[in-house]
Amino acid sequence: MRRLHFWFEFASTFSYVAASRVERVADAAGVTMEWKPFLLGPIFQAQGWNDSPFNLYPVKGRYMWRDMERLCAAEGIGLRRPSQFPRSGLLAARVASLAEAVSWRAEFARRIFAANFADDRDISDPAVVGSVVESLGLPAARVLESAQGRENKERLRHQTEEAVRLGIFGAPTFVVGEELFWGNDRLEQAIAWCNGR
């Protein structure tokens, strides 16, 4: 059976929705999955964007926020439009990239997303990221120090380069082998592809 790779960005609204349901949908289909944090900033900059396309194109942005209201209500997750959008998810992505995070990466990601999009907390603030780490019963100071280490910074950089190599241009993206499925609404299609349907 092919594995589903869930590529997500902490500043991405639709990644928040996808993170709330990807494990449930994958488990129901008997599909194994892997969480893959990466950074959209370098990808957007390569396209000449210095901001989120939802800010660059206000009509698209207005639609996105209304769509998010519908999707979050359907998923039963909170939504409070962040007072700053997008927020840098760099530190959170570094924490999620830690090799040791494999057992708690999913729950950490869901809590960071909720902090940003449900609670309007600044996820670029080490104190906020540290509080999420502590909520998992982990030592925040040690985890944040490891996340900022050279080896781990390189791990996230290589992960983002891998996203570019795969042709990823937005988040969330689901990857099965070399096949890409972009957007929260493509999760079920990606799952079916995993199962050969």
Side-chain angles (χ1 to χ4, degrees):
M1 180 187 299
R2 290 170 287 193
R3 179 183 292 266
L4 177 76
H5 293 100
F6 170 44
W7 291 81
F8 65 95
E9 221 286 6
F10 284 117
S12 161
T13 51
F14 292 119
S15 289
Y16 168 46
V17 178
S20 74
R21 68 192 200 94
V22 62
E23 283 191 327
R24 180 179 75 245
V25 175
D27 287 349
V31 167
T32 58
M33 60 161 294
E34 187 173 340
W35 293 68
K36 306 284 278 188
F38 76 111
L39 299 175
L40 272 175
I43 293 172
F44 284 176
Q45 288 166 9
Q47 298 177 67
W49 295 345
N50 61 2
D51 199 351
S52 165
F54 296 122
N55 290 338
L56 294 172
Y57 305 102
V59 172
K60 187 174 186 176
R62 284 193 296 274
Y63 173 84
M64 179 274 290
W65 288 116
R66 180 62 191 127
D67 200 28
M68 283 291 292
E69 289 172 354
R70 293 188 297 255
L71 291 169
C72 290
E75 285 300 313
I77 57 176
L79 178 65
R80 183 188 306 170
R81 185 169 174 173
S83 50
Q84 178 187 346
F85 177 79
R87 285 190 172 116
S88 172
L90 174 61
L91 177 58
R94 285 176 175 165
V95 171
S97 297
L98 284 165
E100 68 191 71
V102 65
S103 63
W104 46 267
R105 183 173 292 130
E107 187 57 28
F108 171 77
R110 283 189 290 266
R111 292 185 190 194
I112 286 288
F113 276 122
N116 191 23
F117 292 114
D119 302 328
D120 191 19
R121 298 174 70 198
D122 184 359
I123 62 166
S124 69
D125 183 346
V128 171
V129 177
S131 71
V132 172
V133 171
E134 287 179 346
S135 76
L136 297 170
L138 300 166
R142 185 185 62 75
V143 169
L144 293 184
E145 182 180 359
S146 297
Q148 298 284 48
R150 180 177 178 181
E151 180 181 347
N152 193 61
K153 287 180 178 179
E154 285 294 299
R155 182 179 292 113
L156 179 59
R157 186 174 66 81
H158 290 317
Q159 186 111 308
T160 299
E161 289 171 351
E162 174 67 3
V164 172
R165 187 195 69 76
L166 288 168
I168 291 174
F169 57 88
T173 296
F174 307 99
V175 178
V176 182
E178 296 284 320
E179 201 77 19
L180 269 64
F181 302 85
W182 172 55
N184 169 62
D185 58 343
R186 292 296 185 266
L187 171 57
E188 284 76 9
Q189 187 180 6
I191 293 287
W193 194 270
C194 275
N195 285 331
R197 294 195 298 272

